[in-house]
Structure formats: structure tokens, C-alpha cells
């Protein structure tokens, strides 16, 4: 019901460029309105007209390797490119957080620093992550590749106004990034008592 909740918005999910190199999968990805997560594609989409919006997982492949049940670790501290693009296009930033997302799969690499380091190096070399996941099977709940049956609740914060700045300075980018991080943490804290049974604080890395 996203279009009922947010009318007059056309949301494009931005994903890895590698997805558009796979025959047939590329056509399916395009058909549902997705685009690659490159800076040029983001700018073109946001500049296409009123109501055009992009959905971007800022932490990307690196963050997927941190995914551990009942923890909220986000790769965000060094990710500031999205703030620069928002300033260049004058597009508001909307913080979104999904509770329960990291609980649908276990992480085999948890507690194994050597394996975690190897997977991170592999991700940087390949450009995409290969998480060592543990899920459930068709007839069991202990192992398999299917996700565990866990609720995922996405909460959407208030838009952060952005003044269009064609050539933003690093100070302006850093300032917007700080505002976004504060808004995301506030959004998490506002809803964690309802949707997060463990209640661990959010970590920005």
C-alpha cells in the first residue's frame, strides 16, 4: 500500500549495477522501475520531474556483511555521497528504518573475525557482498536458505528539507549528513520500544 500512503510519488529502487548485466534478470529489474545506484542515475532520476524519488540502501553490500540478528549496525559514517547528490538536486532526504530486517537470517561469520575480514576483502574486490547466511528449510527451522518467519516493520521519518546547491562544499555535505544521522537515530529511538524486543542501541559505522 505504499502508493496509498505516499501518493503522487514514483519510487525507484536503486540497486547494484551488476544486476543489469545478467540476461533476463536485467529486463525484470527494469520492468519494476529499478535503476542502478550510480551517482549519474540518481541525479537523472531526481531531476526527471516532480514526484520522482529514489530508494537507496546507503550501506550497500558492505552493510549486508554486518547483518546479525537483534543488532542494528549501519555502514553510514563514511557514506556521504547521497547527501551531495541531494544537495545538487535539491531533493529532501527521508530517513527510513526497518525493524526486524536483520533477524530473518543468521550470520555464520558472527564471532569469526578471520572469516569476516575475508568476506569484506572479497566484497571490495568483487563489488558485491556474499553474506554467509543461515536460514530455514521447507520442512525444518534449523538450517536452509529460506528466511525465518520474522516480522519486518519499516518506519518512515519526516522529510529533511534540502536547499538546492549545485556545487556544495564539504562543510555543507558534512552538515546535512549529520542532520540525517541524527534524524535516523531519533526515528529508531522513537519506535524501538514498540518494534525492537531486544532494544539494543543503533550503531553507525
Amino acid at each position: 500500500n505504499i502508493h496509498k500512503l505516499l501518493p503522487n510519488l514514483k519510487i525507484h529502487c536503486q540497486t547494484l549495477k551488476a544486476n543489469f548485466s545478467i540476461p533476463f534478470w536485467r529486463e525484470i529489474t527494469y520492468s519494476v522501475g529499478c535503476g542502478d545506484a550510480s551517482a549519474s542515475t540518481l541525479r537523472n532520476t531526481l531531476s526527471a520531474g516532480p514526484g520522482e524519488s529514489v530508494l537507496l540502501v546507503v550501506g550497500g553490500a558492505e552493510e549486508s556483511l554486518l547483518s546479525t540478528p537483534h543488532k542494528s549496525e549501519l555502514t553510514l559514517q563514511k557514506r556521504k555521497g547521497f547527501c551531495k547528490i541531494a544537495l545538487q538536486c535539491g531533493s529532501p532526504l527521508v530517513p527510513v528504518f526497518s525493524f526486524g530486517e536483520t533477524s530473518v537470517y543468521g550470520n555464520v561469520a558472527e564471532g569469526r573475525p578471520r572469516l569476516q575480514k575475508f568476506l569484506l576483502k572479497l566484497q571490495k574486490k568483487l563489488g558485491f557482498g556474499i553474506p554467509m547466511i543461515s536460514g530455514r528449510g521447507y520442512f525444518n527451522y534449523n538450517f536452509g536458505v529460506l528466511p525465518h518467519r520474522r516480522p519486518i516493520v519499516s518506519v518512515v521519518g519526516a522529510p529533511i528539507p534540502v536547499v538546492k546547491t549545485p556545487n556544495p562544499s564539504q562543510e555543507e555535505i558534512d552538515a546535512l549528513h549529520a542532520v540525517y544521522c541524527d534524524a535516523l537515530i531519533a526515528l529508531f529511538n522513537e519506535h524501538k520500544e514498540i518494534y525492537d524486543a531486544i532494544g539494543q542501541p543503533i550503531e553507525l559505522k
Side-chain angles (χ1 to χ4, degrees):
N1 295 322
I2 189 68
H3 297 296
K4 294 180 180 179
L5 295 171
L6 302 173
N8 303 320
L9 281 182
K10 187 175 182 181
I11 302 174
H12 304 269
C13 183
Q14 309 302 121
T15 183
L16 287 173
K17 197 169 185 177
N19 283 310
F20 301 97
S21 301
I22 305 172
F24 301 111
W25 180 249
R26 166 184 171 167
E27 282 65 33
I28 294 173
T29 308
Y30 272 135
S31 69
V32 295
C34 293
D36 72 77
S38 65
S40 59
T41 299
L42 292 174
R43 291 192 191 95
N44 290 337
T45 303
L46 292 173
S47 302
E52 298 293 335
S53 177
V54 297
L55 173 64
L56 182 67
V57 180
V58 178
E62 186 175 341
E63 187 175 280
S64 69
L65 300 177
L66 296 174
S67 180
T68 303
H70 310 305
K71 289 186 180 180
S72 301
E73 296 178 292
L74 307 183
T75 303
L76 186 58
Q77 294 285 28
K78 296 181 180 180
R79 303 293 175 96
K80 299 182 179 181
F82 71 101
C83 292
K84 180 179 180 180
I85 294 172
L87 284 165
Q88 291 173 332
C89 299
S91 299
L93 289 177
V94 181
V96 178
F97 188 88
S98 293
F99 288 92
E101 186 179 34
T102 60
S103 295
V104 295
Y105 282 109
N107 188 347
V108 176
E110 182 183 9
R112 299 174 180 173
R114 289 186 178 179
L115 179 57
Q116 290 176 330
K117 191 174 181 180
F118 169 75
L119 291 174
L120 186 59
K121 285 184 177 180
L122 190 64
Q123 178 266 319
K124 292 187 181 299
K125 192 166 187 178
L126 297 176
F128 57 90
I130 306 178
M132 300 288 288
I133 60 172
S134 61
R136 60 180 291 268
Y138 284 100
F139 305 108
N140 72 82
Y141 293 93
N142 300 319
F143 64 91
V145 296
L146 295 178
H148 291 289
R149 293 172 178 171
R150 305 281 190 270
I152 299 177
V153 179
S154 297
V155 293
V156 182
I160 301 170
V162 175
V163 177
K164 188 172 183 178
T165 310
N167 297 297
S169 64
Q170 189 60 51
E171 290 74 16
E172 290 171 317
I173 295 172
D174 291 343
L176 179 58
H177 184 267
V179 171
Y180 175 83
C181 289
D182 288 344
L184 185 63
I185 293 172
L187 182 68
F188 175 85
N189 289 335
E190 180 183 354
H191 296 89
K192 68 179 181 179
E193 298 297 332
I194 304 173
Y195 301 118
D196 186 9
I198 303 300
Q200 290 193 9
I202 191 172
E203 294 183 43
L204 306 184
K205 297 188 173 183

